[in-house]
């Protein structure tokens, strides 16, 4: 029969082990971006473009149309306080966008045999939803924003506070150093370019393009590239976006194309009044956690079985 002292020691040992088990908690690791969460509609556009690059410009035209979303809260060209995209919940934007993609034949639920068929013209719904949930387009959007802040804005420092910063110029076209904020401005420069071409004036140096730019017509499928390039820095919620986009797309889709249409994003306005921006979780990234035993061992057990 065990002595009372032995029973007490056994009891304390069991309690200690239970306490240690209860005290150990699992290690939870999450990866958040250093940048704020992106506009969901932009992520939808970019995710669709990753799955099917040729769909980008048609989808921009569809999803930024004034009647793309329910009439009560769909105005892309209205005031910030009159409803619009900002008044829609992420769920509403997601559902309405998918409905448009299905209706226009860009996305569908494909069978395994259809997925294997490279000639399929549809984006697989399951793959699209997975890519959207993983935020695979988020780093690309941030790449556009970083380029705009680090390179484009640095060249505009001398003109800050000019009409470029006005509401009428939130979206603008870079035409070989000139900033165009309306389709009338674009029409005027194209008229001058036509006169220069008639006089056989040498075209200006082609602007440097980025590896992730959206370009129309696609250089990979065009034999003769247009001699002029217009770069749109776009805020899809701005009042002048549709005016510029429609004008550029019209000239880029003409036969022969009058210009090469390059689409980039402007950095979204930063929140004021001390409001903390919501960060974005990234998934699909691996995180390693190495644990090292640091106990001092009296007995050398390195050769122990």
């Amino acid at each position: 029969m065990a002595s009372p002292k032995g029973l007490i020691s056994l009891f304390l040992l069991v309690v200690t082990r239970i306490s240690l088990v209860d005290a150990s908690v699992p290690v939870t690791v999450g990866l958040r971006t250093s940048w704020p969460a992106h506009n969901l509609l932009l992520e939808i556009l970019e995710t669709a473009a990753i799955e099917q690059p040729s769909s980008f410009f048609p989808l921009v035209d569809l999803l930024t149309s004034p009647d793309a979303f329910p009439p009560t809260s769909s105005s892309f060209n209205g005031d910030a306080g009159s409803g619009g995209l900002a008044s829609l919940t992420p769920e509403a934007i997601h559902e309405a966008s998918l409905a448009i993609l299905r209706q226009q034949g860009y996305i569908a639920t494909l069978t395994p045999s259809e997925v294997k068929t490279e000639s399929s013209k549809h984006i697989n719904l399951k793959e699209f939803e997975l890519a959207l949930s993983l935020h695979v387009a988020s780093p690309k959007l941030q790449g556009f924003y970083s380029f705009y802040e680090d390179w484009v804005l640095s060249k505009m420092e001398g003109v800050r506070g000019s009409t470029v910063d006005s509401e009428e110029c939130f979206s603008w076209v870079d035409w070989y150093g000139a900033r165009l904020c309306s389709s009338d401005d674009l029409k005027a420069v194209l008229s001058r370019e036509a006169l220069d071409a008639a006089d056989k004036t040498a075209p200006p140096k082609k602007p440097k393009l980025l590896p992730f730019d959206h370009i129309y017509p696609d250089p990979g499928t065009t034999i003769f590239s247009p001699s002029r390039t217009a770069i749109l820095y776009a805020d899809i919620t701005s009042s002048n976006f549709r005016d510029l986009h429609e004008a550029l797309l019209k000239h880029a889709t003409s036969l022969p194309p009058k210009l090469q249409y390059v689409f980039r994003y402007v950095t979204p306005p930063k929140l004021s009044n001390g409001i903390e921006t919501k960060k974005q979780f990234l998934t699909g990234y691996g995180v390693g956690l190495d644990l090292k035993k640091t106990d001092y061992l009296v007995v050398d057990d390195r050769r122990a079985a």
Side-chain angles (χ1 to χ4, degrees):
M1 182 176 178
S3 65
K5 184 180 292 187
L7 291 175
I8 293 174
S9 300
L10 179 61
F11 174 78
L12 291 176
L13 179 62
V14 172
V15 170
T16 302
R17 289 184 177 274
I18 294 175
S19 300
L20 289 174
V21 171
D22 291 340
S24 63
V25 295
V27 177
T28 303
V29 179
L31 185 62
R32 282 188 178 182
T33 60
S34 59
W35 57 82
H38 294 309
N39 184 311
L40 177 58
L41 186 57
L42 299 186
E43 284 206 61
I44 290 173
L45 287 170
E46 289 297 333
T47 303
I50 291 173
E51 298 293 325
Q52 191 180 93
S54 62
S55 68
F56 179 78
F57 284 96
L59 290 182
V60 168
D61 204 45
L62 280 171
L63 296 180
T64 62
S65 174
D67 57 353
F69 295 96
T72 54
S73 57
S74 65
S75 176
F76 277 87
N77 301 324
D79 298 331
S82 62
L85 185 64
S87 68
L88 292 175
T89 64
E91 292 79 9
I93 295 173
H94 178 263
E95 292 176 5
S97 299
L98 284 186
I100 294 172
L101 293 178
R102 286 196 191 95
Q103 183 181 2
Q104 298 297 324
Y106 285 98
I107 201 167
T109 303
L110 303 179
T111 63
S113 59
E114 290 173 329
V115 172
K116 294 180 181 179
T117 305
E118 295 183 1
S119 60
S120 176
K121 297 181 179 180
H122 300 287
I123 300 171
N124 186 9
L125 176 60
K126 292 183 178 179
E127 293 180 356
F128 175 81
E129 291 279 32
L130 176 62
L132 190 61
S133 66
L134 295 178
H135 301 292
V136 296
S138 182
K140 182 177 181 179
L141 285 169
Q142 191 59 30
F144 276 114
Y145 295 157
S146 297
F147 175 80
Y148 188 79
E149 288 186 344
D150 298 339
W151 179 253
V152 179
L153 290 184
S154 64
K155 296 196 302 181
M156 295 170 56
E157 287 179 356
V159 293
R160 300 302 288 173
S162 65
T163 55
V164 176
D165 297 318
S166 66
E167 185 178 352
E168 294 77 15
C169 209
F170 282 166
S171 294
W172 56 280
V173 175
D174 184 353
W175 184 266
Y176 301 97
R179 298 176 181 86
L180 312 178
C181 300
S182 70
S183 58
D184 291 336
D185 295 338
L186 182 63
K187 183 178 179 180
V189 296
L190 286 176
S191 298
R192 291 196 296 270
E193 292 291 337
L195 293 175
D196 292 341
D199 295 337
K200 298 183 179 180
T201 304
K205 184 179 179 181
K206 194 177 183 66
K208 185 177 181 179
L209 301 181
L210 305 176
F212 46 85
D213 275 334
H214 298 290
I215 306 173
Y216 194 93
D218 183 1
T221 59
T222 306
I223 299 177
F224 301 104
S225 179
S227 60
R228 298 295 191 270
T229 300
I231 302 175
L232 174 62
Y233 289 98
D235 175 355
I236 64 171
T237 63
S238 64
S239 59
N240 66 330
F241 168 74
R242 287 293 299 186
D243 179 46
L244 291 172
H245 166 70
E246 290 175 355
L248 290 170
L249 195 61
K250 176 182 177 181
H251 291 300
T253 55
S254 62
L255 295 176
K258 295 181 180 178
L259 55 80
Q260 186 180 58
Y261 176 12
V262 179
F263 188 103
R264 297 173 183 170
Y265 300 99
V266 301
T267 307
K270 292 180 173 61
L271 296 177
S272 58
N273 301 325
I275 300 176
E276 184 179 356
T277 55
K278 183 180 179 182
K279 304 298 182 182
Q280 196 167 53
F281 279 103
L282 291 179
T283 54
Y285 294 82
V287 178
L289 182 63
D290 296 327
L291 300 178
K292 183 179 179 181
K293 188 176 182 179
T294 59
D295 294 341
Y296 177 76
L297 301 177
V298 178
V299 179
D300 185 359
D301 62 353
R302 287 175 296 178
R303 299 182 180 277

